[in-house]
Amino acid sequence: MSDACGCGDDEPRAGGEEAEEHEPERLWEVRELQFAAVSGVLLLAAWITGWAVDGGAAGTAATVLEWLALLAGAYTFVPSTVKRLAKGKIGVGTLMTIAAVGAVLLGEVGEAAMLAFLFSISEGLEEYSLARTRRGLRALLSLVPDEATVLRDGTELVVAPAALRVGDRMLVRPGERVATDGIVRDGRTALDVSAITGESVPVEAGPGDEVFAGSINGTGVLTVEVTTTAEDNSLARIVRIVEAEQSRKGAAQRLADRIARPLVPGVMIAAVLIAAIGSLLGDPLVWIERALVVLVAASPCALAISVPVTVVAAVGAASKLGVLVKGGAALEALGRIRGVALDKTGTLTANRPAVIDVATANGASRERVLDVAAALEARSEHPLAKAILAAVEHVDPASDVEAVTGAGLTGRRDGHTIRLGRPGWLDAGPLAADVSRMQDAGATAVLVEQDGQVIGAVAVRDELRPEAGEVVAQLRRDSYHVAMLTGDNHATAAALAKDVGIDAVHAELRPEDKARLVEQLRGERPTAMVGDGVNDAPALATADLGIAMGAMGTDVAIETADVALMGEDLRHLPQAFTHARQARRIMLQNVGLSLAIVIVLMPLALFGVLGLAAVVLVHELAEVVVIANGVRAGRAKPLATTRGARQAPLAPTAAVGASS
């Protein structure tokens, strides 16, 4: 263990594979607790010997046992303290070491042994709590199977996941776990991704769908093309990010550091003054002893460990919920948020636009309108292209297709000039009422024209996530101010906001507009921006806290945001807020309790009300309390096994816009 709960210690305890190999899984495997147990047994033996037997030999035996108990307990912190002192670092372990040495000089070997015994227990409990939460995070890696079946040159080979190469074809049988990230090339199944994203509802997967390491295959046999190596798959990336980001400290943790760091040398100076002034005015031995007791009483060990233990426990628990929290700063900010700005596409909606209505004019049929629209969209990368192409069985592409920025497409086919574009660029003519109806209902409408004559209007919408209304209602019940930000038109945005229950709607926003608006919202209350992490990157960076959706497959989401929801279930959002608020409350409780202990013990020690053993006992009990309280932040309830009350399916006219 490190010097006194790591106060002033910036060095890592352990790292890499060595740390994982020696990670204690049970209390009795913690080295500090093993030495504490030895120290305690020896101390008990010394007391029994001194109480039960009279005489010089018994006194000598008791003293020897006390010395052995002192050495066993001190071994857990004195060597590291000396090393840090050599580097000019003073920590709480320094105070404990000086107090133990002082007690010995005063002839109180038993009390020095008690101090070392209790302090080694708190060190061991801290190490166990941190190891436990680190194991919870690294347990994600255990979701990867020990072996994988790969198809090479027409032969099935069983290899270790580390031997998989990008481009390999994995064979995943029913009940097996996926060894690394990839894309399904053959087969259909339902994947259990609950251990990865926190979503309990199985996810359907078929050709072209992405699958992630650790997913459990259902009943179908899948052929999966490997897209990442085992060292860089989604699970490994998440573990690396969280472990790297855990060094970031939230405001509460920085507060603990600000208090603890000057307190240590300040207490040492105060102890010297108490001993010097007291010796001039009274018995030097009495005042030197009191100075040593004050030294121990003011030790900020509980303060130094209170927040880090909470942060590590809470971040590890969040990962099990499908929420990736980038360390203490993000966790503390998540607990302070009172306003939520939600992007539309990919956040409130599923980002899978589809054609839901077609209006016709001038004798054209529905099929004719879609045929002409698809002819132009066949060469387009417009967000609506995929939806329109999916609505037709066969596409006869147009020629000479040109894109008119912000307006639409033009081209030729079979000697006809055809155009597709937004109302305003093309005249809606007899379809004006239909276009208005589509837009008022929340759909994105495009007009189709042939030889200068409008022949139809196509309405495309992006479906609301089934849980969107439930999530917004929960956020409002929890007293969050909820706003929607979108690049879509006002009519589309208003229709969607009404369906989902949002009053504050901001539409027709460019990425820089979103960032500027988020800055304004921050001026009113601490605000989080929730988006897909790509188009919303400026707003995510501007917000007090950026939250990205679907981080399992989006690198930029993880890099840009402070928090990422690893799955596609929006219900993880209010769950993450609740978890962070609870963690923040625990942080503040621990800081308050730690400071109260120091404030109460110092005058009691100064005036001789409490001796060294009593002060040490109270202090170490306080450390046990704050550690136990901090570990509570590791409790997290997963989502229910069903989505609960879903929204009713939207009617074709109650459509949602497709672009943001």
Side-chain angles (χ1 to χ4, degrees):
M1 274 295 289
S2 61
D3 175 17
C5 314
C7 181
D9 175 22
D10 297 325
E11 299 177 9
R13 300 178 188 277
E17 296 178 1
E18 181 181 354
E20 294 183 35
E21 291 174 1
H22 296 86
E23 205 76 73
E25 295 185 5
R26 299 173 179 84
L27 273 173
W28 58 84
E29 294 177 354
V30 179
R31 185 178 63 90
E32 288 79 8
L33 291 179
Q34 293 172 351
F35 277 92
V38 172
S39 177
V41 170
L42 291 170
L43 195 56
L44 179 62
W47 287 345
I48 293 175
T49 300
W51 172 73
V53 182
D54 294 328
T60 301
T63 301
V64 170
L65 290 172
E66 288 175 348
W67 270 105
L68 292 175
L70 171 60
L71 293 175
Y75 181 75
T76 63
F77 64 92
V78 172
S80 59
T81 296
V82 173
K83 290 179 182 178
R84 285 172 175 76
L85 280 174
K87 298 178 182 179
K89 295 183 178 181
I90 297 176
V92 183
T94 308
L95 298 183
M96 293 299 185
T97 301
I98 294 173
V101 171
V104 170
L105 293 177
L106 293 172
E108 301 291 344
V109 178
E111 293 199 6
M114 173 61 74
L115 181 152
F117 165 64
L118 293 173
F119 190 63
S120 61
I121 290 178
S122 68
E123 290 277 82
L125 290 176
E126 182 200 355
E127 172 60 23
Y128 177 71
S129 67
L130 295 175
R132 179 183 172 188
T133 51
R134 287 195 298 265
R135 282 200 317 273
L137 180 61
R138 292 191 184 120
L140 285 172
L141 295 179
S142 68
L143 298 176
V144 176
D146 295 329
E147 56 186 31
T149 303
V150 63
L151 302 173
R152 290 177 181 166
D153 300 324
T155 304
E156 292 185 14
L157 300 175
V158 177
V159 300
L164 291 171
R165 302 189 297 263
V166 174
D168 277 344
R169 297 291 179 109
M170 289 188 300
L171 190 65
V172 186
R173 296 182 175 87
E176 292 183 344
R177 289 187 183 271
V178 179
T180 192
D181 300 348
I183 297 175
V184 177
R185 294 306 181 198
D186 186 50
R188 289 189 175 276
T189 190
L191 292 171
D192 179 357
V193 296
S194 58
I196 306 168
T197 66
E199 296 180 32
S200 56
V201 179
V203 176
E204 297 293 330
D209 290 332
E210 193 171 10
V211 295
F212 302 110
S215 304
I216 302 175
N217 188 14
T219 57
V221 178
L222 297 179
T223 300
V224 178
E225 180 181 344
V226 174
T227 57
T228 61
T229 62
E231 294 77 14
D232 197 40
N233 65 36
S234 50
L235 293 180
R237 190 169 65 243
I238 288 167
V239 171
R240 283 199 303 270
I241 288 171
V242 174
E243 290 191 330
E245 293 290 345
Q246 278 178 347
S247 61
R248 296 175 60 191
K249 299 179 179 180
Q253 191 165 355
R254 288 193 296 270
L255 173 63
D257 290 343
R258 286 199 300 269
I259 295 171
R261 285 175 178 165
L263 182 60
V264 172
V267 167
M268 294 177 67
I269 294 172
V272 171
L273 292 175
I274 290 171
I277 297 173
S279 297
L280 294 176
L281 301 177
D283 186 350
L285 289 179
V286 171
W287 285 100
I288 290 174
E289 182 177 359
R290 288 189 183 181
L292 291 171
V293 177
V294 168
L295 199 67
V296 177
S299 298
C301 188
L303 176 67
I305 69 174
S306 60
V307 176
V309 169
T310 307
V311 167
V312 177
V315 169
S319 69
K320 297 177 184 178
L321 297 175
V323 180
L324 177 61
V325 181
K326 294 186 180 180
L331 180 70
E332 207 277 336
L334 188 61
R336 289 189 299 106
I337 293 299
R338 300 315 309 161
V340 184
L342 295 165
D343 175 46
K344 181 178 73 66
T345 304
T347 302
L348 288 172
T349 67
N351 199 19
R352 289 189 288 270
V355 173
I356 51 91
D357 195 10
V358 178
T360 62
N362 294 312
S365 65
R366 182 181 189 277
E367 290 71 21
R368 175 63 176 167
V369 171
L370 289 173
D371 178 60
V372 173
L376 289 166
E377 294 285 23
R379 299 288 186 263
S380 170
E381 295 183 359
H382 191 274
L384 303 185
K386 185 180 293 187
I388 292 175
L389 292 173
V392 299
E393 295 181 0
H394 174 72
V395 180
D396 182 12
S399 60
D400 301 326
V401 176
E402 294 182 3
V404 180
T405 304
L409 302 167
T410 66
R412 292 187 61 81
R413 193 179 70 168
D414 300 331
H416 298 284
T417 298
I418 55 179
R419 296 197 296 172
L420 176 146
R422 62 176 178 80
W425 182 60
L426 297 181
D427 184 8
L431 296 176
D434 293 286
V435 169
S436 178
R437 172 179 56 80
M438 293 173 178
Q439 291 180 336
D440 289 343
T444 296
V446 292
L447 292 167
V448 181
E449 184 185 272
Q450 180 172 303
D451 295 330
Q453 189 177 56
V454 66
I455 61 171
V458 180
V460 178
R461 74 176 181 189
D462 189 6
E463 296 286 357
L464 270 175
R465 293 182 184 274
E467 72 275 11
E470 173 190 346
V471 168
V472 171
Q474 181 63 54
L475 289 173
R476 296 182 67 171
R477 283 196 298 271
D478 292 340
S479 301
Y480 288 96
H481 176 270
V482 183
M484 185 180 76
L485 280 58
T486 178
D488 225 331
N489 63 73
H490 288 285
T492 297
L496 175 115
K498 181 178 179 182
D499 286 335
V500 83
I502 297 176
D503 298 325
V505 183
H506 307 274
E508 298 183 8
L509 301 174
R510 295 172 298 176
E512 58 269 30
D513 297 328
K514 289 184 180 181
R516 187 164 51 251
L517 183 59
V518 167
E519 184 68 37
Q520 295 176 6
L521 294 173
R522 287 183 61 195
E524 300 172 5
R525 58 184 66 82
T527 298
M529 172 68 191
V530 187
D532 61 12
V534 182
N535 297 327
D536 302 305
L540 287 169
T542 303
D544 292 294
L545 186 82
I547 303 176
M549 285 288 295
M552 285 298 291
T554 310
D555 288 339
V556 70
I558 298 179
E559 294 168 2
T560 305
D562 305 293
V563 175
L565 308 183
M566 293 186 281
E568 296 292 336
D569 193 334
L570 193 57
R571 293 182 304 159
H572 288 301
L573 182 62
Q575 187 183 36
F577 283 131
T578 300
H579 180 64
R581 287 198 307 272
Q582 170 69 5
R584 186 167 182 264
R585 281 195 294 269
I586 291 173
M587 290 182 200
L588 296 178
Q589 289 169 4
N590 280 348
V591 170
L593 175 61
S594 303
L595 289 176
I597 292 295
V598 171
I599 292 171
V600 171
L601 286 184
M602 282 190 68
L604 294 178
L606 176 63
F607 294 108
V609 177
L610 295 179
L612 180 61
V615 167
V616 170
L617 180 61
V618 173
H619 240 312
E620 304 315 319
L621 287 176
E623 291 171 33
V624 173
V625 170
V626 298
I627 290 172
N629 194 37
V631 170
R632 285 198 306 118
R635 299 175 184 172
K637 295 181 181 179
L639 290 177
T641 54
T642 60
R643 289 186 180 270
R646 292 174 176 258
Q647 281 186 271
L650 296 175
T653 55
V656 179
S659 65
S660 64

